[in-house]
């Protein structure tokens, strides 16, 4: 893990700063998963996407940043709105 920690952090920072998600991580494998019933009936299957773990981590980083930004913006807007009502 120590070997990939630095390069991976660099890739994540580049991606977050540029707003570009690496193309290599945009591909996923689709695997059929049997829900229940006859294995020969295609209606009993649902697709499962196998996404690269590094892509999943980057998605989580992006999600956390977006949620944090939206929350801070909401708090700022709420405070501004509350101050405007006082006057």
């Amino acid at each position: 893990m120590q070997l990939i920690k630095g390069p991976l952090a660099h890739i994540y920072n580049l991606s977050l700063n540029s707003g570009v998600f690496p193309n290599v991580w945009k591909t996923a494998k689709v695997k059929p998963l049997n829900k229940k019933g006859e294995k020969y009936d295609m209606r009993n299957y649902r697709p499962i996407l196998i996404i690269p773990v590094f892509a999943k981590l980057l998605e989580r980083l992006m999600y956390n940043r977006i949620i944090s930004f939206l929350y801070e913006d909401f708090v700022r807007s709420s405070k501004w709105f509350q101050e405007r009502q006082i006057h």
Side-chain angles (χ1 to χ4, degrees):
M1 185 67 173
Q2 292 297 329
L3 291 174
I4 62 171
K5 193 168 153 182
L8 199 54
H10 179 69
I11 292 170
Y12 286 165
N13 286 327
L14 282 175
S15 179
L16 292 170
N17 290 332
S18 67
V20 176
F21 197 88
N23 283 333
V24 176
W25 292 347
K26 290 181 183 179
T27 57
K29 292 182 181 180
V30 179
K31 299 276 186 170
L33 181 68
N34 186 290
K35 295 185 284 187
K36 58 184 172 184
E38 247 341 279
K39 290 188 177 190
Y40 302 106
D41 187 355
M42 292 304 292
R43 292 175 293 185
N44 293 331
Y45 286 85
R46 63 184 175 113
I48 298 293
L49 292 177
I50 309 298
I51 300 172
V53 69
F54 298 130
K56 206 65 179 150
L57 290 170
L58 182 55
E59 283 178 1
R60 178 51 68 173
L61 286 171
M62 289 178 167
Y63 171 82
N64 288 341
R65 280 193 175 193
I66 290 170
I67 292 299
S68 176
F69 172 79
L70 292 175
Y71 179 75
E72 288 173 16
D73 189 53
F74 174 76
V75 169
R76 266 189 254 114
S77 297
S78 297
K79 286 180 182 176
W80 179 84
F81 182 72
Q82 289 169 356
E83 289 172 5
R84 298 294 294 170
Q85 285 184 331
I86 293 172
H87 293 260

